[in-house]
Amino acid sequence: MKKFDTKLAVDGVDLAVPAGSFFGLLGPNGAGKTTTLSMAVGLLRPDAGRALVLGHDVWADPVRAKALVGVMPDGVRLFDRLDGTELLTYHGLLRGLAPDVIDQRVTELLDVLALADAGRTLVIDYSAGMKKKIALACALLHAPRLLVLDEPFEAVDPVSGATIRDILTRYVAGGGTVIFSSHVLEVVERLCSHVAVMAAGRIRTVGTLDEVRGERTLEEAFVEIVGGRTATGSELSWL
Amino acid sequence: MALTFAKLKLRTLRNGFRGRPAKILMFVLGLLGALFYGALAFLLFLAAMTAGHDGLALAPAYGGTLLALAWLLMPLVWFGVDETLDPARFALLPIPKLVLLRGLLVGALIGVPAAATLLATSGLAVGAAIEGGPAAGAVGAVGVLLGLVLCVLMSRAVTSGFARALRARRTRDLAAVVLAVLAASLGPIQYAINSGAQSVGMDRLESIARVLGWTPFGAPYVVGQDAVAGDWAAVAGRLALTAAVIVLLAWWWSTSLESAMVGSAGDGGGSGTGPARAGSPTARFFRRSRAPRTAYGAMLVRELRYWLRDARRRASLITFAVVGIFLPVMLNVGPAAGDKQLPMAVQLLTMVGVGTLASVGIANQFGYDGSAYAAQVVAGIPGRLELRARAMAYSWLVLPVLLSVVALTVVLRGHPAELPAVLGVPLAAYGTGLACCLHLSVWGAYALPETQNPFAINTGTGVAKSLLAMAAMIAGPVLAAPVFLLAAFGGPVGSALALPVGLAYGLGAAWLGALTAGDALDRRQPELLAMVTPKR
């Protein structure tokens, strides 16, 4: 649970992410997705409740828990006055990896994410999509068991999006767990095994993709669960 | 239109305070302080106009010049510019440039410093009205208002000019030199005041005042006196001079405004792709550094790189270098020193100040990082390790400057025997200051706006910055007092012992500070992240 001043941003979220699942956290803007994920990885202290990562309490035993997670926060700056290679190397060293492991993984990651050419450009001069990719690389570098990604597909061009999808699918196939927030429903529908829908700080629905979707498309299910409005056609007639 | 800007500014200010009692408290404290000094200066200027005393009659010229110089230099070396109304936000609106300029100026005029200045200098207008009747009062008021506009415009134009220079990496060295020259202009003022203080004679003071009265700094504040004396030609001349300078400054500001509005979009040419460096990623990361290939070494190297690459951090380093170098020069070469040198104890006291000043740059180290600090939180870096690396990197850059200040002081004073004391005292003060500032950086961090202007700060944080730095500036020297007392009053033995004792004392203090602040950091990581993340 998290309160900002008087506004209850997240209220009693009880979410179990099965190990090995590809988990999509859906919700309209302001639903509390980012707040929930931030509390789960130790970026934001909850007012009540706890978060467990593979059995380790994030707030009671942060060192163990944080070593198992790779995080890509949204709307957070990177150390953007380093260039791409420097940034990745820095993250590897922070995670305590050996230099030769870092050398190999950094080169490979830059290659796969098509950032090798930009390895010497300062991250501050990257485009939005490139920043997403380098942030994802930072989260992957120490081979975590769990990936927590906040809006990984926002501002990413289709080609990079496909690359990211590939990497994540392979990661899950290899036994990793991914939870990510998004409102790009078609990506969620294509990738996820499990889905949860949040609105106004609460979990509205949770289950496997088929359970949540039922007979409808995910979009129809989402709008119905969240309670959106449908245009009647009479408003904005001046446009 | 200008009214709209004024309303916008007031509303942004008000909304910034909503639900943040600490910020309101800071603001009120700043307001009270400004009122106090403004009222003091008001009385001084009033007395200057009405008392008829020769010495006091010089106050408008000197006081006005000092005030104008403060407006010119304070934003550069200390306070930063309130960018509540960031020009970049108006880039997409169809506003004619002249209207925008006027609006931004009105916005800049609304604020505590401007109000305090107006309060202080209005003493001149009131005084002129009492002495010379309503006509003289009116002339004085016009002078005071023009003076205020001049001050505000000058600070805006100069900072945005500098911001542009510091942003481009190529011109940063040039900017450093210009900044140094600007700060050096403190010297002549110091010179003038001191030569006055040494009673060189009223004649000389008056001749300097006459010159000041014809510079744009002093001119608007002297017209009241001219009017009282009936010298209308001088009134016209000075007002014309002021107006001309205002127009020039406005023009300069408008040119740099344009680049500020498109700034962030068109920027980025500075970095480009550097020269290709061979080697593996880690080899490239560390380059020639021999730091350990661990998390500690990585943080050390990144911090070093950030102090040099981040315009804000660079500005704070340059400021310390300039102030640190000029302080001993002014004290020992300027007229203050005169024929006789400063007593040793006083000299050591200034060295305590230099040591403390050296440590203050780290007081908002997490604020410089902003939300990028999240990377450290997510990685679960132990607080002690983090602070040790940061303190080490900062000291690596600042201590050479500190040592050159010491060397300069010893050379200027010409007593090599004083070296142990002159070196030991600032080292101790730096250590204790570092300990205090490490704690400050954990407990009292504040967010900096994400603009390209290294001088920009959020409204109200100027006061917060001053109060926090003040706390460190008091606590640091108090903690370093034992070494100072030993060096200053311990006779030759104490003076010789000051170096080893000071070194050990400073190291111990910094080490203890890093330990205790590191433990605090472990408990406060998410809170600290929230404090340094800029509100949108």
Side-chain angles (χ1 to χ4, degrees):
Chain A
M1 186 185 63
K2 182 69 192 177
K3 250 176 145 174
F4 291 122
D5 294 332
T6 53
K7 187 173 183 288
L8 205 56
V10 171
D11 182 15
V13 167
D14 187 2
L15 196 60
V17 179
S21 65
F22 207 133
F23 201 104
L25 184 58
L26 302 178
N29 296 331
K33 303 186 293 290
T34 298
T35 308
T36 304
L37 293 182
S38 297
M39 290 192 292
V41 298
L43 282 175
L44 186 66
R45 198 184 297 280
D47 294 325
R50 54 193 206 132
L52 296 178
V53 173
L54 301 167
H56 300 285
D57 192 316
V58 173
W59 293 99
D61 182 15
V63 178
R64 297 280 291 283
K66 284 175 179 176
L68 296 168
V69 195
V71 185
M72 184 177 103
D74 182 41
V76 159
R77 272 173 55 189
L78 301 159
F79 280 108
D80 49 18
R81 280 181 180 80
L82 302 177
D83 66 34
T85 317
E86 285 176 339
L87 180 67
L88 275 180
T89 311
Y90 176 66
H91 272 264
L93 289 161
L94 274 193
R95 294 291 190 169
L97 301 181
D100 51 329
V101 178
I102 295 174
D103 290 345
Q104 188 213 335
R105 289 187 186 173
V106 167
T107 317
E108 221 170 303
L109 273 170
L110 287 176
D111 230 27
V112 171
L113 288 168
L115 288 170
D117 293 339
R120 292 191 179 92
T121 308
L122 292 194
V123 174
I124 197 170
D125 297 330
Y126 275 20
S127 68
M130 286 161 79
K131 279 183 186 157
K132 278 279 176 208
K133 288 199 282 182
I134 198 86
L136 179 67
C138 291
L140 287 169
L141 193 63
H142 63 292
R145 300 313 306 138
L146 168 67
L147 266 184
V148 181
L149 313 173
D150 198 359
E151 301 284 2
F153 296 104
E154 207 174 54
V156 177
D157 67 77
V159 179
S160 308
T163 317
I164 295 179
R165 280 204 308 273
D166 272 359
I167 295 174
L168 294 181
T169 315
R170 242 185 303 160
Y171 173 81
V172 171
T177 310
V178 173
I179 174 165
F180 72 99
S181 70
S182 183
H183 33 227
V184 187
L185 294 179
E186 57 155 327
V187 175
V188 174
E189 199 159 16
R190 186 137 30 116
L191 289 179
C192 292
S193 59
H194 293 68
V195 171
V197 178
M198 272 191 96
R202 288 170 189 278
I203 298 282
R204 292 298 165 88
T205 317
V206 62
T208 62
L209 182 62
D210 290 329
E211 284 168 12
V212 172
R213 182 166 51 177
E215 295 299 302
R216 308 155 290 187
T217 65
L218 188 58
E219 185 176 334
E220 286 165 358
F222 178 80
V223 173
E224 192 185 311
I225 293 164
V226 170
R229 52 172 296 161
T230 36
T232 59
S234 63
E235 63 270 80
L236 301 187
S237 54
W238 47 267
L239 257 180
Chain B
M1 196 67 186
L3 193 66
T4 318
F5 276 87
K7 275 189 197 152
L8 181 64
K9 166 99 180 194
L10 286 175
R11 179 145 313 195
T12 345
L13 278 176
R14 204 171 59 209
N15 289 354
F17 290 134
R18 192 181 284 165
R20 299 213 212 126
K23 206 171 167 187
I24 298 176
L25 182 72
M26 293 289 186
F27 183 75
V28 170
L29 280 178
L31 195 63
L32 287 179
L35 272 181
F36 176 73
Y37 285 110
L40 266 188
F42 175 86
L43 289 177
L44 173 75
F45 281 141
L46 191 63
M49 293 301 289
T50 51
H53 179 268
D54 276 355
L56 269 177
L58 298 178
Y62 281 101
T65 306
L66 264 185
L67 209 57
L69 276 183
W71 270 94
L72 181 63
L73 292 178
M74 287 306 260
L76 286 178
V77 297
W78 188 242
F79 278 109
V81 188
D82 176 359
E83 275 217 341
T84 313
L85 297 186
D86 182 358
R89 293 184 193 173
F90 301 99
L92 289 178
L93 299 177
I95 306 175
K97 194 156 97 183
L98 209 61
V99 175
L100 180 65
L101 201 67
R102 217 163 46 212
L104 286 177
L105 181 63
V106 168
L109 281 169
I110 299 173
V112 175
T117 306
L118 190 61
L119 171 64
T121 50
S122 61
L124 291 171
V126 175
I130 294 174
E131 283 290 295
V139 168
V142 169
V144 163
L145 288 178
L146 281 182
L148 181 68
V149 171
L150 180 86
C151 284
V152 172
L153 253 183
M154 185 164 59
S155 76
R156 290 283 145 160
V158 168
T159 45
S160 62
F162 259 110
R164 196 164 45 154
L166 276 183
R167 197 158 53 207
R169 289 176 194 110
R170 282 188 206 107
T171 47
R172 71 182 179 212
D173 300 325
L174 179 71
V177 172
V178 178
L179 192 60
V181 171
L182 262 179
S185 61
L186 286 168
I189 293 297
Q190 171 98 357
Y191 186 84
I193 293 169
N194 284 326
S195 40
Q198 286 178 4
S199 60
V200 177
M202 269 330 260
D203 292 348
R204 190 148 157 219
L205 274 181
E206 274 172 6
S207 62
I208 293 175
R210 263 198 299 280
V211 174
L212 288 178
W214 282 102
T215 64
F217 297 127
Y221 305 106
V222 189
V223 289
Q225 283 176 320
D226 288 338
V228 171
D231 188 353
W232 295 102
V235 168
R238 288 191 221 268
L239 287 183
L241 174 70
T242 312
V245 172
I246 286 180
V247 169
L248 265 179
L249 282 172
W251 173 79
W252 185 31
W253 191 31
S254 74
T255 57
S256 58
L257 202 61
E258 232 159 51
S259 83
M261 281 169 65
V262 295
S264 35
D267 207 31
S271 88
T273 43
R277 286 188 298 270
S280 65
T282 39
R284 277 199 42 217
F285 180 76
F286 284 104
R287 300 200 199 147
R288 281 189 301 269
S289 159
R290 271 180 309 205
R293 268 57 175 162
T294 58
Y296 170 77
M299 283 190 282
L300 189 71
V301 169
R302 184 194 53 80
E303 277 289 305
L304 277 174
R305 218 153 277 174
Y306 256 64
W307 278 107
L308 300 176
R309 283 186 191 172
D310 185 349
R312 274 193 256 257
R313 297 198 189 205
R314 209 160 54 218
S316 110
L317 279 184
I318 292 174
T319 304
F320 168 67
V322 170
V323 174
I325 300 284
F326 273 90
L327 205 60
V329 173
M330 266 169 9
L331 288 173
N332 287 299
V333 181
D339 300 327
K340 44 192 189 307
Q341 279 186 334
L342 280 182
M344 185 58 179
V346 179
Q347 178 67 50
L348 286 179
L349 210 54
T350 67
M351 295 318 282
V352 171
V354 169
T356 311
L357 207 59
S359 66
V360 169
I362 208 171
N364 194 28
Q365 51 177 346
F366 293 105
Y368 292 129
D369 286 351
S371 54
Y373 175 62
Q376 316 286 105
V377 180
V378 164
I381 300 297
R384 291 180 175 187
L385 193 70
E386 167 116 46
L387 291 183
R388 203 149 50 86
R390 284 172 182 264
M392 190 64 88
Y394 180 67
S395 305
W396 188 257
L397 292 173
V398 154
L399 279 181
V401 180
L402 191 64
L403 292 182
S404 33
V405 172
V406 168
L408 192 63
T409 306
V410 170
V411 168
L412 288 177
R413 287 174 66 87
H415 297 300
E418 289 174 354
L419 180 65
V422 173
L423 182 54
V425 168
L427 283 181
Y430 177 66
T432 54
L434 205 56
C436 296
C437 288
L438 283 175
H439 269 282
L440 254 187
S441 72
V442 173
W443 297 101
Y446 53 90
L448 298 166
E450 288 184 345
T451 68
Q452 297 278 331
N453 183 351
F455 301 111
I457 55 167
N458 286 322
T459 318
T461 41
V463 182
K465 185 178 172 183
S466 314
L467 277 181
L468 287 174
M470 202 99 79
M473 292 256 212
I474 292 168
V478 166
L479 289 174
V483 178
F484 166 70
L485 292 176
L486 173 76
F489 305 111
V493 181
S495 175
L497 272 179
L499 179 54
V501 171
L503 188 61
Y505 196 89
L507 268 177
W511 180 72
L512 259 179
L515 284 193
T516 49
D519 290 345
L521 179 59
D522 278 338
R523 293 190 300 273
R524 286 180 48 81
Q525 277 184 352
E527 285 76 12
L528 180 60
L529 177 62
M531 282 168 92
V532 298
T533 304
K535 303 277 178 297
R536 277 180 245 198

